[in-house]
Amino acid sequence: MVEEISTFISYYFEPHLRIRINHVSWHDDGGEVPSPHNLDVMHIKKNVFENIFNTVMDVKGKTKDNIKARLDVVVFYNRKNMELVWDGSRVAKPRASFVLEKNTQLLVYKWLKSLRFPNGHASNISRLVNTKECRLYGMKSHDCHVFMQTLIPLAFHDMLPKGIWDALTEINHFFRDIYSNKLNVDHIERPETNIVETICKLEMIFLP
């Protein structure tokens, strides 16, 4: 998650990194036409949203807080509270501070189930919520875009520690700023400065 954001920031704010040329086939004579390297912001935002949401909500098979990541903690990080606990023949994974408890997760899913949006703003997200399995199904890129733009701070408000909630809110503000219809110099310079601090916060919060 953090690596993908960092890569996107490098390409977005440092034009000299975008000099690579992709060659695509020209249909008429079989030649090749140089095409500038482009990043799909919507696709990146969808990946970031899924990584954040699935990790915070501890979605089985989707979360980045898995056994492999916990083993990496022992090798690369000094986080004793995040290390696996061996209890005879069983391995216990202590709950991380960025993961919601089961009853709190259910509250988030019930809140999502009750959401209603104006026509054309987003699809009916309530249809994508399964409160019994505590999962989201069939989220499209635009649904993830709406969630990252407006719902992340609301969904996890007062449910995560303030430092973690602040970092996620800053990511929300970053994507909202670069998607703004009107931009001025301040709107360009502010995200470029703030996102560096935000990435550092995410690296200190989440697992590698």
Side-chain angles (χ1 to χ4, degrees), residues 30 34 84 112 115 194:
L84 297 173
L112 291 173
L115 282 180
N194 294 345

Side-chain angles (χ1 to χ4, degrees), residues 2-53:
V2 178
E3 183 179 353
E4 182 157 13
I5 297 173
S6 301
T7 303
F8 170 69
I9 300 309
S10 298
Y11 276 95
Y12 187 82
F13 290 113
E14 300 180 37
H16 67 278
L17 294 178
R18 295 199 296 265
I19 61 174
R20 186 175 61 163
I21 299 295
N22 292 335
H23 288 86
V24 294
S25 298
W26 187 253
H27 295 292
D28 292 341
D29 56 6
E32 292 184 338
V33 177
S35 174
H37 179 74
N38 293 313
L39 293 173
D40 185 349
V41 182
M42 287 287 281
H43 183 70
I44 291 172
K45 185 184 290 189
K46 183 176 187 292
N47 289 344
V48 172
F49 162 74
E50 289 177 344
N51 288 337
I52 290 175
F53 188 85

Side-chain angles (χ1 to χ4, degrees), residues 109-181:
Y109 284 113
K110 286 183 176 179
W111 175 73
L112 291 173
K113 191 75 173 175
S114 66
L115 282 180
R116 296 294 182 271
F117 293 103
N119 288 338
H121 181 72
S123 62
N124 190 354
I125 292 182
S126 63
R127 287 183 174 181
L128 311 178
V129 180
N130 188 321
T131 53
K132 291 183 179 179
E133 298 182 13
C134 286
R135 293 192 72 156
L136 290 176
Y137 289 99
M139 290 283 285
K140 305 298 184 184
S141 293
H142 185 69
D143 301 324
C144 297
H145 163 77
V146 171
F147 211 112
M148 282 296 298
Q149 294 279 100
T150 57
L151 300 181
I152 282 286
L154 299 175
F156 300 134
H157 185 59
D158 290 337
M159 295 186 177
L160 288 170
K162 188 177 185 306
I164 299 174
W165 182 83
D166 286 344
L168 296 182
T169 302
E170 289 171 15
I171 284 292
N172 163 265
H173 290 168
F174 168 75
F175 280 111
R176 189 180 61 191
D177 285 343
I178 66 174
Y179 255 86
S180 176
N181 291 330

